[in-house]
Amino acid sequence: MRNFTLLPLATALALALAGCAEQATPGADKAASTGGDTQELLGSLSFTPCTLPSAFGGEGVEAKCGALEVPENRAEPNSRKIRLNIAWIPASEGADLQPDPVFFLAGGPGQSAVDTYPQLAPIFNRIGRQRHVILVDQRGTGDSHPLNCDVEMDAMEDSAADDLDALARMTQACRDRLGKTADLRQYGTTAAVADLDAVRAAIGAPQLNLIGVSYGTRVAQQYAMRHPDRTRSITLDSPVPNALILGNIWARNLDDALAKQFALCSADATCRDKLGDTRAELDTLMNKLRAAPVNVTYRDANTGEERTEPLTASEVAGLVRMYAYMPAMAALLPLQIHEASQGRYGNLKALTVMLTHAMKDQMASGMQLSVVCAEDGDGIVGDAANEGTVLGNSLTDGIGTMCKHWPRGEVPADFHKPLSTKVPALIIAGEFDPVTPPKYGEEVLRTLPNGRLLVLKGQGHSVLGAGCMPRLFAEFIDTANAAALDAKCLTSLSPMAPFQNFNGAQP
């Protein structure tokens, strides 16, 4: 019997709008207590010392950990309570402490803010001199009543059932299991916004500075819409416009980003002569694998064992999509696709296996479905124009299938209206982002008179840590004035040259 996650169509589906894509390995351990029974109050909440572990085995982040109990269903205050997992990174001792903390909102939907933060901690160093940083695992993620959809499906091993049929069965199995301990209708963005405001009130903060990455930008916009007087500033990294229906344009966005990334090789005569037309070779490879998977012998990097397994079009599509998030990884694609076009599939297969293993526990899949199905499910439809793209309609078909079987919560009537507010806003986007391209930042900016958009040249998805962006981010939090930022330092950013052989970009 083999264990499968809920999202088998492609790895891309599991990380639909994940922020921090460059850190694909999940947190290794839960926060470890370091202070015995030592307690400290922040407002009315009690915290104890803890260490937030690094996903890569490096030095962890010293923090204070606590929790807040909230109603699962606020319309029924006496119903089941759930525990929100919270971490507090105190401002530096002796600092000129400001009353408005920074709340970091993770992506996904489905990522844990507490688990994700240690990889981003250096970006917050300057901010932490004067402000507390607060991490709240959104309900359904991390240690906040997590909704994880690992289900065992014998049929996936032995039957030749269509993927969508298997996906429907897996969704039903996950729904039935999680539904025993959770009302799956209560884990959407609107409930999470209410949770954030409950945490704000509990710690005694008059206003918040919200930094959202990817899906976290939806949470930030919804909070600022509901609580403008309690929002000092918002920073939107790789923004998702409120009006966007998640899923419908992912195929086109990916192809547009790949065109820009592959053009780096086409524009270089040596690279072009050595590796050919990357997009044409990718199309040929995908058509071949769609017709019939290819058995490939490769070495599994996780075990060191040599294996022979089929390479599928779905695996390649997932790999291409997730590598497109990260310019450093996208630089490998022309070479790997060319190798496969020459019949050498081993490296490509090994990379798909590594990616799947690394991302296995990144998302709380049940929470992701509770968000997407309630907020976007009715609008997710296939499009004939997606035929011929790398993803086709696989994501929309997959999400549509799952949402047919998932309970849906209520969504406010104005949920998809653009955020229109005078709250100061810094919006940042990567030029090569395959999921939230710069045009989304332009859309969000139209109704934010105190906003500013910065597009980072040659960068992908989740760009807060690129170049001088951490300094600009800190200056914005200090001043709440995006227009005054001197962003000339970002002009030094450039795309990463594609690898022409396994030693790097040079021939």
Side-chain angles (χ1 to χ4, degrees):
M1 185 177 292
R2 185 173 176 183
N3 195 35
F4 286 82
T5 60
L6 179 66
L7 308 176
L9 286 179
T11 304
L13 190 57
L15 286 180
L17 281 171
C20 315
E22 296 195 39
Q23 296 84 27
T25 306
D29 301 294
K30 300 298 180 184
S33 174
T34 58
D37 294 329
T38 303
Q39 295 188 343
E40 185 173 349
L41 288 178
L42 182 62
S44 62
L45 289 188
S46 177
F47 291 84
T48 57
C50 61
T51 301
L52 310 183
S54 168
F56 301 103
E59 186 175 354
V61 174
E62 296 305 311
K64 299 178 187 297
C65 291
L68 176 65
E69 193 175 73
V70 296
E72 183 183 53
N73 182 353
R74 283 190 165 79
E76 300 178 7
N78 295 323
S79 63
R80 174 169 41 215
K81 301 296 189 294
I82 60 175
R83 173 188 177 277
L84 299 177
N85 183 47
I86 305 169
W88 162 32
I89 296 88
S92 303
E93 282 190 41
D96 181 15
L97 183 65
Q98 299 300 306
D100 43 277
V102 174
F103 274 47
F104 167 68
L105 310 174
Q111 283 188 312
S112 158
V114 174
D115 289 348
T116 301
Y117 179 80
Q119 301 141 44
L120 304 176
I123 297 171
F124 290 79
N125 282 345
R126 177 172 168 177
I127 289 168
R129 297 174 188 172
Q130 293 184 302
R131 286 179 171 83
H132 300 314
V133 176
I134 305 296
L135 314 172
V136 181
D137 276 346
Q138 187 168 332
R139 59 167 60 197
T141 75
D143 276 343
S144 294
H145 206 79
L147 303 180
N148 297 310
C149 269
D150 288 340
V151 293
E152 295 177 336
M153 293 295 294
D154 291 324
M156 287 295 289
E157 286 286 341
D158 304 317
S159 78
D162 181 82
D163 278 349
L164 294 180
D165 291 338
L167 194 59
R169 295 195 301 272
M170 295 169 71
T171 304
Q172 293 165 355
C174 179
R175 176 200 64 199
D176 294 344
R177 181 173 65 81
L178 293 179
K180 296 176 181 178
T181 56
D183 180 349
L184 302 177
R185 301 169 300 172
Q186 307 300 327
Y187 288 80
T189 303
T190 302
V193 164
D195 291 342
L196 288 176
D197 199 54
V199 174
R200 178 205 59 79
I203 65 174
Q207 288 188 310
L208 305 180
N209 298 282
L210 301 174
I211 162 62
V213 180
S214 199
Y215 162 73
T217 67
R218 171 178 277 189
V219 181
Q221 290 172 85
Q222 290 292 322
Y223 186 93
M225 179 186 288
R226 311 298 166 193
H227 306 293
D229 294 341
R230 300 170 191 168
T231 309
R232 178 177 175 270
S233 74
I234 55 174
T235 302
L236 308 177
D237 179 355
S238 308
V240 180
N242 276 349
L244 185 69
I245 299 297
L246 304 186
N248 284 348
I249 37 59
W250 287 337
R252 176 51 50 197
N253 287 350
L254 173 60
D255 270 40
D256 290 346
L258 291 176
K260 294 176 181 178
Q261 293 170 353
F262 292 166
L264 298 175
C265 185
S266 299
D268 182 290
T270 305
C271 186
R272 183 176 64 250
D273 291 344
K274 187 176 181 64
L275 301 182
D277 184 335
T278 301
R279 181 57 202 237
E281 291 188 340
L282 176 59
D283 288 342
T284 299
L285 173 63
M286 293 296 290
N287 288 335
K288 179 176 181 177
L289 296 178
R290 285 173 183 138
V294 175
N295 280 330
V296 178
T297 299
Y298 71 100
R299 186 169 299 281
D300 187 333
N302 299 308
T303 65
E305 299 176 358
E306 189 173 87
R307 299 177 179 273
T308 299
E309 295 178 339
L311 176 67
T312 68
S314 176
E315 287 178 306
V316 173
L319 179 78
V320 168
R321 185 170 192 256
M322 296 318 303
Y323 271 32
Y325 274 50
M326 305 165 279
M329 304 305 291
L332 289 168
L333 287 176
L335 176 60
Q336 294 293 357
I337 291 167
H338 183 69
E339 285 287 296
S341 75
Q342 304 300 306
R344 296 184 289 272
Y345 302 102
N347 287 332
L348 198 59
K349 176 64 180 180
L351 290 175
T352 68
V353 173
M354 287 176 62
L355 183 68
T356 301
H357 178 81
M359 292 181 171
K360 178 178 178 294
D361 298 316
Q362 274 276 299
M363 293 294 118
S365 305
M367 175 271 191
Q368 186 176 81
L369 289 175
S370 290
V371 169
V372 173
C373 295
E375 298 166 10
D376 306 283
D378 288 338
I380 296 175
V381 294
D383 187 343
N386 289 337
E387 299 302 329
T389 64
V390 173
L391 293 177
N393 285 304
S394 61
L395 290 183
T396 52
D397 291 346
I399 295 171
T401 296
M402 291 186 287
C403 287
K404 290 177 182 177
H405 304 282
W406 202 260
R408 301 189 188 190
E410 296 182 2
V411 176
D414 62 350
F415 185 88
H416 284 295
K417 285 187 176 181
L419 172 65
S420 180
T421 180
K422 293 182 179 179
V423 170
L426 176 62
I427 308 166
I428 57 178
E431 179 188 16
F432 291 172
D433 190 335
V435 62
T436 55
K439 64 182 179 183
Y440 290 171
E442 296 169 0
E443 181 178 339
V444 171
L445 181 64
R446 291 188 193 114
T447 52
L448 299 179
N450 291 323
R452 182 179 179 185
L453 170 65
L454 301 177
V455 177
L456 280 61
K457 184 179 180 181
Q459 305 306 300
H461 189 69
S462 181
V463 294
L464 192 64
C468 64
M469 200 59 243
R471 175 172 63 80
L472 297 177
F473 170 50
E475 290 176 3
F476 172 66
I477 297 298
D478 285 345
T479 64
N481 186 348
L485 297 176
D486 182 356
K488 290 193 295 290
C489 58
L490 293 176
T491 60
S492 64
L493 293 172
S494 61
M496 185 166 183
F499 277 48
Q500 296 186 30
N501 57 46
F502 291 106
N503 293 317
Q506 298 302 316

